[in-house]
Amino acid sequence: MDQAAVTALLQTLAQGLLTGGLYALIGTGLSLIFGVMRVINFAHGDFLAIGMFITLALFRAFNLDPYLSLLVAAPVGFALGFVIQRFVLARLGDRLSEGSMLATLGIGLIVSNTLLLTFGAQPQNINVPYATNTFQLGGVQVSIPLLIAGLGTALAIAGLNLLLYRTELGRAIRATAQNPLGAELQGVKTTNIQAIVFGLGVAFAAIAGVLLMPLLYAFPTVGENYTTKAFIVTVLGGLGNLPGAIAGGLVLGVVESLGAFYISNNYRDAYGLVAFLLVLLLRPEGLFGRTVKRV
Amino acid sequence: MTVTAPLPAARPRALTFGNVWLSLALLAVMLLYPFVFGKALNFGVSTLVFAGLAMSWNILGGWAGQLSLGHAAFVGVGAYTMTLLATPERVPAFLGGPVAPWWGALIGMGLAVLLAAVWGALTFRLRGSYFVLSSIAVALVLRLVAINEEFTGGSEGLFMPELPTLFGLDLFDRRVEYGLALAFVALTLLVTHLLRRSRLGYALQAVREDEDGARALGIDPARMKLVAFMLSAALTALGGSLYAVYLQAFEPHTLLELPVSVQIALMAIIGGRASIQGPVIGALLLATFGEVFRTVFASANLLIYGVLILAVTLFAPNGVLGLFRRGGRKLGTAR
């Protein structure tokens, strides 16, 4: 390989890893929810869209720097998730994952169509001077907003890790994931824990939306694509497996990036889907997980 | 899914009076519709096509209890196969010329069965949410192919060519399409009815209610689900061909997007899964709501779908039909 080819490969990899970091953030939220409640959240991408539109609205109204919107979007996401789990999904009770899946599908439609009514269908972006800034690193160009997004992702995931493994709340969450009944018997209020977990998952999606806003156009159905990405990440990593979700996100980012560069950019979204189907077929426990019950 | 929402167990007895009257009423409405609402035939045809699609979905989603959110894939296979084979300039050379739409529809059904066989054989080995997730992915992959390939007309889609007449009837006449759509609904009703009374139908219900229990009775759950999937796929593809004739021009976005799959599934779920008339009732309800809300909310008309899904999962897990039945029997097993 000559010099230019190596640089191009490094460039593609860097791009893939940074995008993958964002996918990891989205996938972590979904995987967290699945891990504790066994619910596949079909509204995940739509919560991301909420994050984007909060950023957009605050920028339009107060000229607020997009990254400061995190202070609004994350709590709003958490509150929204908490309320949805506590007052909607929890009411489905034992009627299991299928009912909850459908309910989240409905919530997703409500969210995206409400955004459509409020903001219109036109794709909108915000003009911040650093949106297109890059810096050079050994011939590889790195986009500044993408790098910030990557750092934000790393911080958010580290924070989640601290919460899960260093706090009493984290112990309660892990206990609820492992055995809800057992946790309940130990005095854990599992309904509250589940609401908190759903809140955290939605907050993660909203954070990802904020981090993406300087890079992308926001439109009401933008979430659909990211719901799919989150599924792919979660399945690649193993359903409910958090470290797996991070690795899955990075893998997805790199696979897409390499495929787009070396095969065809038109099929960018397809590489992840194909990887997803292959993993589903060959290693349903995910690339990094333990075995799943087979029929 | 290993377990589903409690569904009304099929009672092994003849049709109840309620069912007979309901079916007759539905049939009368459908037969009289073109004479009363001659101006709104478009609504009638599309509603019937979707009712048939919902019935087809229900074979897998209702009777076998496997939630598919990828049935748009089969609608697409049916529509694209039929149209491509009927278009002189797009027909593969070895076929020697355009294929009549009814043969094209049959070939589309065959391809759909093939797709379902491969896809089902691979995913039904697994339990849990894997089938749902795979269903979304398969439809999305087909969508990407349809958008990016030249032979499918890319993102601009396809135009329906001149079609030969069927027994002297013009396929682009809305009244003819209405008749065909009604026949499609009748076919899916018939298949569902036969299925319910058949060995396969009982096996499917057993698998849906308790997979381990079914296995203990000597039923092979993966195989039963596969058969249901293939049957469901074939009928859905037939509906897809019909829908293509109705649309006359279509693009990947109108046929292969997730909302299409959701719409089909939702009609069956809202009406009542695992019932014979449920999907038809659901289709009538949703189509009517959709039409009304299209004028109020314009492009945000799916909002009402969201509200309806939520309402049904919360308050009527067995669908609208389930509500009726529960009304008769006072608080059933739900909750």
Side-chain angles (χ1 to χ4, degrees):
Chain A
M1 259 197 279
D2 62 7
Q3 186 63 38
V6 173
T7 311
L9 176 64
L10 288 177
Q11 176 76 53
T12 311
L13 284 177
Q15 186 77 15
L17 282 174
L18 286 171
T19 321
L22 272 172
Y23 292 158
L25 183 64
I26 310 170
T28 305
L30 191 76
S31 205
L32 182 68
I33 292 171
F34 187 89
V36 176
M37 274 156 289
R38 306 280 131 193
V39 167
I40 294 178
N41 174 20
F42 276 97
H44 209 68
D46 300 300
F47 294 133
L48 177 137
I50 290 183
M52 290 181 94
F53 277 99
I54 287 178
T55 316
L56 183 76
L58 289 175
F59 182 80
R60 290 272 156 83
F62 309 111
N63 210 9
L64 189 74
D65 186 272
Y67 296 112
L68 286 178
S69 310
L70 281 175
L71 298 174
V72 179
V76 167
F78 180 83
L80 192 65
F82 189 94
V83 168
I84 287 174
Q85 169 64 31
R86 193 80 177 73
F87 297 102
V88 181
L89 299 183
R91 292 198 47 191
L92 294 167
D94 294 334
R95 263 183 281 129
L96 247 128
S97 62
E98 184 153 319
S100 320
M101 247 191 278
L102 288 171
T104 58
L105 197 64
I107 292 167
L109 283 174
I110 294 173
V111 169
S112 57
N113 284 282
T114 307
L115 289 175
L116 192 58
L117 283 177
T118 321
F119 294 95
Q122 202 60 37
Q124 302 172 66
N125 72 338
I126 51 183
N127 281 313
V128 282
Y130 49 79
T132 50
N133 281 9
T134 55
F135 73 91
Q136 294 274 338
L137 190 75
V140 174
Q141 288 213 330
V142 182
S143 128
I144 301 264
L146 206 49
L147 188 69
I148 297 178
L151 289 176
T153 301
L155 278 178
I157 289 174
L160 177 67
N161 210 40
L162 282 182
L163 174 80
L164 285 179
Y165 292 95
R166 292 278 182 277
T167 67
E168 200 53 39
L169 175 63
R171 273 164 64 98
I173 290 175
R174 285 181 290 133
T176 309
Q178 275 170 19
N179 184 347
L181 187 62
E184 188 78 43
L185 290 173
Q186 296 300 315
V188 175
K189 281 231 171 292
T190 48
T191 43
N192 279 340
I193 295 295
Q194 288 173 343
I196 290 172
V197 165
F198 207 88
L200 282 174
V202 175
F204 267 56
I207 291 173
V210 174
L211 294 175
L212 273 170
M213 193 57 222
L215 294 158
L216 294 179
Y217 281 84
F219 52 95
T221 46
V222 67
E224 220 174 82
N225 192 22
Y226 286 97
T227 304
T228 323
K229 302 273 186 229
F231 290 158
I232 298 175
V233 168
T234 319
V235 168
L236 290 183
L239 286 172
N241 177 343
L242 289 187
I246 300 170
L250 296 177
V251 169
L252 175 62
V254 170
V255 164
E256 278 188 0
S257 222
L258 289 177
F261 188 74
Y262 289 104
I263 309 175
S264 153
N265 193 33
N266 288 344
Y267 279 103
R268 174 177 273 274
D269 289 332
Y271 308 121
L273 289 168
V274 171
F276 166 90
L277 286 172
L278 284 178
V279 168
L280 215 52
L281 305 179
L282 305 175
R283 247 189 100 74
E285 62 275 26
L287 293 173
F288 317 95
R290 280 186 238 116
T291 44
V292 184
K293 194 168 188 187
R294 283 169 189 261
V295 170
Chain B
M1 290 319 88
T2 47
V3 191
T4 54
L7 294 157
R11 290 176 298 280
R13 59 179 151 111
L15 292 170
T16 60
F17 281 112
N19 279 337
V20 172
W21 289 120
L22 193 57
S23 305
L24 285 179
L26 279 175
L27 192 67
V29 168
M30 289 176 192
L31 281 175
L32 289 176
Y33 182 89
F35 302 103
V36 182
F37 301 102
K39 294 242 157 54
L41 267 179
N42 283 353
F43 175 76
V45 178
S46 65
T47 306
L48 280 183
V49 170
F50 270 92
L53 291 174
M55 299 284 310
S56 317
W57 181 91
N58 199 40
I59 293 173
L60 182 74
W63 298 101
Q66 301 299 304
L67 185 67
S68 157
L69 293 176
H71 260 53
F74 302 120
V75 178
V77 167
Y80 272 97
T81 309
M82 195 226 89
T83 313
L84 286 171
L85 292 181
T87 313
E89 56 272 32
R90 292 194 188 272
V91 161
F94 65 86
L95 283 173
V99 178
W102 40 95
W103 298 122
L106 274 180
I107 296 171
M109 289 169 80
L111 289 177
V113 170
L114 207 63
L115 174 64
V118 176
W119 166 7
L122 295 169
T123 48
F124 286 139
R125 295 172 305 143
L126 302 166
R127 286 189 181 200
S129 317
Y130 291 100
F131 177 70
V132 194
L133 291 174
S134 79
S135 71
I136 298 171
V138 170
L140 284 178
V141 169
L142 286 189
R143 178 180 150 261
L144 283 167
V145 172
I147 289 177
N148 287 307
E149 290 305 319
E150 207 269 316
F151 79 96
T152 52
S155 58
E156 277 153 35
L158 296 173
F159 278 93
M160 190 65 64
E162 282 296 305
L163 294 178
T165 54
L166 176 66
F167 308 123
L169 296 168
D170 179 6
L171 287 173
F172 292 136
D173 182 336
R174 282 283 180 257
R175 282 165 304 176
V176 174
E177 285 168 10
Y178 187 90
L180 287 174
L182 199 56
F184 173 52
V185 172
L187 174 69
T188 53
L189 276 168
L190 181 70
V191 170
T192 313
H193 187 71
L194 291 176
L195 178 71
R196 190 165 91 139
R197 300 261 164 257
S198 72
R199 215 182 141 73
L200 173 65
Y202 287 120
L204 286 176
Q205 292 171 59
V207 169
R208 177 186 76 208
E209 298 303 329
D210 180 354
E211 214 166 301
D212 291 318
R215 187 196 302 283
L217 294 172
I219 296 169
D220 179 352
R223 212 173 121 230
M224 291 296 131
K225 288 188 234 174
L226 188 62
V227 176
F229 194 25
M230 286 155 64
L231 197 56
S232 174
L235 289 170
T236 307
L238 180 62
S241 305
L242 189 55
Y243 194 43
V245 173
Y246 163 75
L247 290 173
Q248 291 179 27
F250 55 86
E251 43 175 351
H253 300 283
T254 46
L255 285 182
L256 287 163
E257 297 274 1
L258 183 62
V260 179
S261 301
V262 169
Q263 201 174 344
I264 296 170
L266 206 53
M267 287 174 168
I269 292 168
I270 284 183
R273 288 160 79 172
S275 67
I276 295 212
Q277 315 89 335
V280 179
I281 294 173
L284 290 175
L285 274 179
L286 264 189
T288 315
F289 271 117
E291 202 65 21
V292 170
F293 281 87
R294 219 182 302 280
T295 52
V296 182
F297 290 125
S299 53
N301 63 72
L302 287 178
L303 183 64
I304 194 61
Y305 281 30
V307 174
L308 283 175
I309 302 188
L310 213 54
V312 167
T313 44
L314 279 174
F315 306 115
N318 296 326
V320 175
L321 212 57
L323 276 187
F324 279 128
R325 290 196 179 137
R326 200 164 68 167
R329 269 184 286 143
K330 277 264 167 128
L331 289 170
T333 49
R335 220 160 279 248

